[in-house]
Amino acid sequence: MGSIDSITYRRFIIFAGLTVTLLGILVIFGWLTGISILTSIVPGYYPMRFKTAFCVAVLGMALLNFKYNNKVGTPVTRILALLITTCCSVALVQEILAYTTHKYPLFNAYKQAISENYIHPGGMSALTAICFGVVATSVFIISTSKSYYKTVLQYCLHIVTLVAFVVLIGYIFNVPVFYRLSYFTAMPFTTAIALLLLSVAISLLNPDKGIAAIFSGNLIGNVMARKLFLPMLTAILSIAYLHFLNSKYQWIEKELSIALLTISFIIIILLLVWQTCTLLNKLHLNKKVAVENFRLGVESSPHALIISDANSNIVHINPHAEKLYGYSRKDLAGNNLEVLIPEKLRQSYRSMNENFFKSPKVISLGIDEELFAKHKDGTEFPIELVLTPVKTSKGNMVLTSITDITQRKTNESIIKTQLIELKVKNRELEHFNYIASHDLQEPLRTVSNYIMLLEEDYPELISADVKAHLQAMGAATGRMSHLVRSLLDFGKLGNNRTLTLTDCTLLVNNVIADLNSLITSSNALITITTELPPLYAYDTELRQLFQNLINNAIKFGEKGQQPQIQISCTKHNGFFMFEVTDNGIGIDAEYREGIFNIFERLNKNDNFEGYGIGLANCKKVADMHGGKIWVESEPGNGSTFKFTIAALKP
Ligand code: ADP
C-alpha cells in the first residue's frame, strides 16, 4: 500500500505553479498586445481579465517560490501573497460599493472594454476576488499560523476548488448558471482552471488537513480514495458528457440514451463496489492472519503473557501465565490485574500503569528494583516484567511478559553464600600456609644447626662417610627451607596488588637489567620484536612473570648454544597476547600442561636448578589479569610461552 509521498506532492505543486504562471503571463501578454485569443485561450469563451491574470501569475510564482521541503514560505512568497490579498480586497470593496450604490461602473467598464478590446477591462468579479483572496491568504498563513487557522483555511480552499469545479462543469455542459455564479459577470474558463490548480496545490501543502488528508496517508481508506476517486470522476464525467452530446446532436433516441446512462452508472457502481470489496477483503484477510499469528505467538510463548487494558482489566492470559499464577483463564477474564499483585505493591503498580498509558513504550521492570507477584495460593514470588504497548480496536492495551526469577534468585543467593564461604576458606588457607611455612622453618633451622654442631663439636667422630651424609642432610634441609619459602611466596603473590598503568617496554627492560649477570654469563641475546603496549596491570606481579619466563628461557637453553630469546605482543579481541620464544631444549607434549602446576619439574637433574614454582607463579599472575598462559613447543626446537592479559581498566 503506497502512500502519496512528498515527491509526488512536490511534482504536482511545481506543475500547478508553472501552469498558472504561464497562463497568467499569456493572458497579460494577450491584453497588452491585443491578441484576443491569448486572453481567453479557448476560442469563444470569456477572456480572463487583466487583474485576474496578474493575480494568477503572481500566485503561480508564489507557489513555485514556496519552499515545500521545510514548509516555510520565503519572505518573497509572503510579500507576493500579501500583494494579491490586498489586490483582491480592493477589488471586492469596489464591487460591494458598486453594488450598494446601485451603480455598476466596473461592469459597464468591463462590457465596454470588451467591445473596444481595451487592455484593462476593470476589476475582477466579487467571486473571483474572494476565491483569489482565500488562495493568497492561505499562501501567506500556511507557514506561520497555528493548526486551527490552517484547518479553517484548508476548508476554504476546498470551497474554492468546488467553486472552480462547478464553473468548469458549467462550461463543459454549457450551463451558464454554473459559471455565472457571481451576480453579473461570469468566471472565465481559464480563471476556473487556474483556481482549481492553485487551490488543490496549496491544500497539498498541508496534506494532513481537510479532504487532502483522505487522499494522503497509508490507511486503507486513503489508498482506496487515491485509487478510486480519479477513475470514477473520469468515468462519470465521460458518460455524462456523452449523454450531453447525444441530447445535443440526437445520435440515438432519448430513452435509449437514458437507459445506456443508467446501465453505465450501474456498471460504474459495480466496479466501485467490486474494487472496494476486494480491497476490504484483502485487508480483512491480512488482519485475520495477523491476529491468528499474534494469538499463536501469545499462546505458545515460553513466557507468561497477560494482555490488559488501561483500567488493568485482564483481556487475555496465556497457558504459561495460568500455570505461573495458579489461576485458570476463566477465573481471571475481566478481573483486575491487581489480584496478581501483592497488596503492598498495588499503589506503585497503579501509578506505573498510568504513566505507561500516558506515553506507551516498551519498558522493563524488576531489574534494578525488586518486584513480586502473587500466586493464587497467596504465596509471593520474585518476577521481572516487560511491558509492551499493543494497539487494538478496543483501544491501547499492554502486553505484559512475566518471568519468574525465583530459581535465579535462589542460585544467586547460593553463589553469594558460596562466595563468602570461599573467601573464608581462602583466608584460612592463606593463614594455614603462612603458619605452616613459618613453623616448618623452625625445625629445619634446628636440624641444620645440629648438623653444624655435630661437625664442629665432634670432628673426631666424623669420618669421611659420615661427613658426606651430614652434607647431604644439610643440602636437603636447605632445599626444603627454600621450598617452604617458595610456598610462602606463592601464597602471598598478589596479596597487595594494585592496578597501575604500566609501560611494558620499560618493565621488560628493567627485568633484563635485573638479570644482567645471568644474561652476560650465558651470553644470551634478548630481542623485543614488537612494540610492547602500555596497559593497566599489576606491575610487580607482571614483572615477576616476565622474570620467570626469561630466566627459564636462559636456564633451559641447549648446551653449547647461545640462548636467543624474542619477546613480542599483539592485541586480540580485548586481550593483549605476549609471547616469549626461546631456542632451548623444548618440552614434550605430555608435560605442556603439567609444568604450570606447583612443584612440577621435568628436568630434575643437577644441570637445571629449580623448585618447580616459577611457572605456577606465572599462571597465578596471568589468572589475576583475567588471562591465561600456555606453551607451544617442540623438544629440541625451543619453546614459546604465551600469555594473555585482559585490557583492564582501573
Ligand atoms: P623451575 O624452573 O624452578 O624448575 P618452573 O615452574 O619455572 O620451575 O618450570 C617448571 C618446569 O618446566 C621446569 O622444570 C622445566 O622442566 C620446564 N620449563 C620451564 N620453562 C622452560 C623452557 N623455557 N624450556 C624448556 N623447559 C622449560
Side-chain angles (χ1 to χ4, degrees), residues 308-314 335-338 349 353 357 396 398:
S308 56
D309 64 16
N311 298 321
S312 300
N313 293 320
I314 297 172
N335 260 328
N336 198 292
L337 197 73
E338 289 189 5
Y349 162 74
N353 193 51
F357 278 96
N396 282 350
V398 52

Side-chain angles (χ1 to χ4, degrees), residues 552-553 555-556 582 585-587 595 600-603 610-615 639 641:
N552 280 353
K555 188 162 70 173
F556 298 104
D582 63 50
I585 58 170
I587 301 163
I595 52 171
E600 198 78 46
R601 301 188 64 226
L602 311 182
N603 316 88
Y611 298 93
I613 201 120
L615 289 181
S639 321
F641 280 83

